């Protein structure tokens, strides 16, 4: 079945860039998403990219997609303490189920 | 900004009891979903619902589960006879256009 894998933990200093990486297996994924979960909160849709794109930039967020290698990354520029959260890499197709990675816990140190 | 809401935030029930988890999707959304996350595991898909019928369901979504949109605003997940292994965080999601899914805050279900 479909699978999404990502590293468990990332520690970064405030002001530095964070890069979270993910790999997925489903070739039919048409959308790749990043969701953010803060402590005690729900899953917040951060950004997404269509599978026919290589890159998407949205303010401090940059998503890179290497479709050949099925590799997705999320770069957060100028990381702030408020960016401390769990980030989920997610694959899906329109109207269909989403397949979640296990989440990367990002800790931003002052 | 419109949000998906879920009630209750925490439900404790005894094994074998029926529970109903409630969700109010964003008002102009047409696609509805339930996911769950067992502690320490990945978020996993349960069911999707569109045009008043189930459009896709996972292997987890067996006969003890059912979904309903009883009144045009609520979307419910019923578990008929709860088991210990049903303890999880249950997330409702909705989508207007089928590719942006917006999630509620979740209901933590504890089966004792």
């Amino acid at each position: 079945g479909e699978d999404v894998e990502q590293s468990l933990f990332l520690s970064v200093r405030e002001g530095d860039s964070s890069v979270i990486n993910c790999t997925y297996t489903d070739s039919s994924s048409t959308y790749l998403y990043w969701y953010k979960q803060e402590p005690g909160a729900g899953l917040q849709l951060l950004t997404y990219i269509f599978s026919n794109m290589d890159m998407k930039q949205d303010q401090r967020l940059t998503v890179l997609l290497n479709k050949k290698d099925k590799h997705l990354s999320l770069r957060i520029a100028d990381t702030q303490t408020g960016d401390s959260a769990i980030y989920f890499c997610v694959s899906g197709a329109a109207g269909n189920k989403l397949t979640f990675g296990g989440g990367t816990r990002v800790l931003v140190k002052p | 900004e419109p949000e998906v809401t879920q009630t209750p935030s925490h439900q404790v029930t005894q094994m074998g009891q029926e529970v109903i988890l409630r969700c109010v999707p964003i008002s102009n959304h047409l696609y509805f979903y339930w996911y769950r996350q067992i502690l320490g595991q990945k978020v996993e898909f349960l069911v999707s619902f569109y045009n008043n019928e189930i459009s896709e369901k996972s292997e987890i979504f067996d006969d003890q589960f059912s979904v309903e949109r009883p009144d045009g605003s609520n979307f419910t997940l019923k578990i008929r006879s709860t088991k210990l292994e049903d303890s999880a965080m249950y997330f409702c999601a909705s989508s207007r256009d089928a590719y942006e899914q917006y999630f509620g805050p979740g209901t933590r279900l504890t089966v004792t």
Side-chain angles (χ1 to χ4, degrees), chain A residues 5-16:
Chain A
E5 294 295 332
Q6 50 186 127
S7 52
L8 285 177
F9 184 73
L10 176 67
S11 179
V12 62
R13 291 215 174 274
E14 190 175 15
D16 288 349

Side-chain angles (χ1 to χ4, degrees), chain A residues 1-4 24 26 28-36 43-49 88-102, chain B residues 31-36 42-48 55-58 60 91-95 97-104:
Chain A
E2 304 92 342
D3 194 21
V4 177
Y24 62 97
D26 188 2
S28 64
S29 295
T30 50
Y31 304 89
L32 287 307
Y33 305 82
W34 287 101
Y35 279 82
K36 176 184 180 182
L43 298 160
Q44 176 194 354
L45 176 60
L46 271 185
T47 186
Y48 61 91
I49 188 169
F88 292 93
C89 174
V90 182
S91 70
N96 294 341
K97 66 178 184 181
L98 298 180
T99 299
F100 280 74
Chain B
Y31 299 82
F32 313 107
Y33 309 84
W34 284 101
Y35 293 79
R36 78 175 184 188
K42 293 180 178 181
V43 175
E44 49 190 355
F45 168 79
L46 292 178
V47 65
S48 58
S55 46
E56 188 179 2
K57 60 183 180 178
S58 71
I60 304 163
F91 293 104
C92 172
S94 70
S95 176
D97 48 25
Y99 62 87
E100 290 183 6
Q101 292 187 28
Y102 292 90
F103 283 75

